[in-house]
Amino acid sequence: MKPVRVLAIETSCDETAISLISVRDRAGKPEEVKVVGHLVSSQIPIHQKYGGVVPEVAARSHVPETVSLLTQALGKKRMNAFDVIAVTRGPGLPTALSVGVEAARTLAWLSKKPLVGVNHLEGHVASAWLDGHKRRFWQYPLLALVVSGGHTELVIVEALGKYRLIGQTRDDAAGEAFDKSAKLMGLPYPGGPQIEKRALQGDKTKFSLPRPMRHDGSFDFSFSGLKTAVRNTWDEVKTTSADLEQTKNDLAASVQEAIIEILVEKTIAAAKAERVKGVLLVGGVSASSALRNRLGAAVKKQLPGVHYLPSMRKYVTDNAAMIAAAGYWRYQLGDLTQWQDLDIDPEWNIGV
Ligand code: KG4
Ligand code: ZN
């Protein structure tokens, strides 16, 4: 069978990304997926001076980057370089999403190729599927822990494109908890990697921080109380500490421990309750080695026979290869949109 080449555009937040993947269906076997192009232009340096993402600045920065990356990805073949166009239409920042969606609509009109609107969170789920070694372990149902700067969700993947949201954060996302805690301690954006680096030198037992909703029996999360506790602790120690750098390391280690512990506990409980065959770990926060290792060890110990499927590091933070993968699924399901009808959906959740 001829491979299907999917061109994908992602502009939902602060990364402009374009990808081209080629998927060959091998009747009855896992598909063969080649990531031909994987271009990501991060706006982190632009937003760093504001301490977080500024939506208007993000949208404006996407415009020239989208054009530049598209021309790079398509090369001389231009409209002949792809068979299907996939684009993130939500959830995300409305003006940022509009840039990608309008580019995709224009390309679909010019090329007359099929167009697919992709859910960003489905893209994160699909990021784990890009791992060719693990694709054969995709046996449903699967449980996905989706942890990013905007989302913390437990999603049951019943089948390709069929989701059930069984838990989510009631306030801040896990990535946001990392980012806000780091900001309170004067560490730059994004805070997750900073906290992880500091935590390596810190003592996680130094500060006792809350684990909200730990024993409430639900699969929901809450991280805003943690942020308040970090603020109170930091306000207290920053004037009394004899070694402020070490105190920062200790607080970073304690915050990281609190977030990881609750994520791992709830994921394992959900996997047991739903009797899943595999556990996916996806989204920007899954860049954390500490989280990857802890969840992996917990799955191995507490869920015998269940496969642990974290997405590869190069696909954890926002990228378009994952959107292309989810776009391919949608294309297979026949979920196409006319270019005249495609619109952004900033609040679009997965599984609802
Ligand atoms: O998926 P992503 O790139 O963007 C969103 O869709 O939000 O995730 C970005 C988030 C940020 O909050 C960042 O602090 C967090 O992922 N992150 C980490 C680490 N690397 C990135 N959090 C904890 N530990 C890390 N090593
Ligand atoms: Zn994301």
Side-chain angles (χ1 to χ4, degrees), residues 10 68 76 81 84 86-87 109 130 143 151 208 240 245 268 296 321 347:
E10 153 67 41
S68 154
K76 286 193 185 125
V84 179
V87 63
W109 173 65
L130 287 168
L143 170 69
H151 294 88
S208 116
T240 53
E245 288 309 306
I268 297 293
E347 305 293 330

Side-chain angles (χ1 to χ4, degrees), residues 86-166:
V87 63
T88 307
R89 50 181 288 259
L93 304 169
T95 49
L97 287 166
S98 296
V99 177
V101 163
E102 291 312 312
R105 273 155 50 91
T106 311
L107 279 176
W109 173 65
L110 286 171
S111 66
K112 302 188 176 68
K113 303 270 167 81
L115 177 62
V116 183
V118 173
N119 181 299
H120 181 82
L121 300 173
E122 183 173 28
H124 275 302
V125 169
S127 70
W129 182 82
L130 287 168
D131 186 340
H133 298 295
K134 300 258 176 90
R135 203 169 303 122
R136 64 198 159 99
F137 299 126
W138 274 61
Q139 290 148 15
Y140 303 106
L142 295 162
L143 170 69
L145 171 62
V146 185
V147 265
S148 71
H151 294 88
T152 302
E153 310 201 330
L154 282 167
V155 179
I156 298 293
V157 187
E158 315 251 21
L160 209 64
K162 196 156 174 252
Y163 307 101
R164 190 157 43 88
L165 183 62
I166 59 166

Side-chain angles (χ1 to χ4, degrees), residues 10 12-15 120-121 124 147-151 173-179 189-197 256 260 282-291 313 316-319 322:
E10 153 67 41
S12 68
C13 190
D14 60 345
E15 260 92 31
H120 181 82
L121 300 173
H124 275 302
V147 265
S148 71
H151 294 88
E176 210 174 345
F178 275 112
D179 295 340
Y189 173 84
Q194 301 287 332
I195 298 258
E196 176 159 41
K197 204 160 72 189
Q256 179 175 276
I260 289 181
V282 301
V285 179
S286 49
S288 161
S289 298
L291 174 59
R313 282 181 182 280
V316 295
T317 48
D318 288 351
N319 66 88
M322 69 184 199

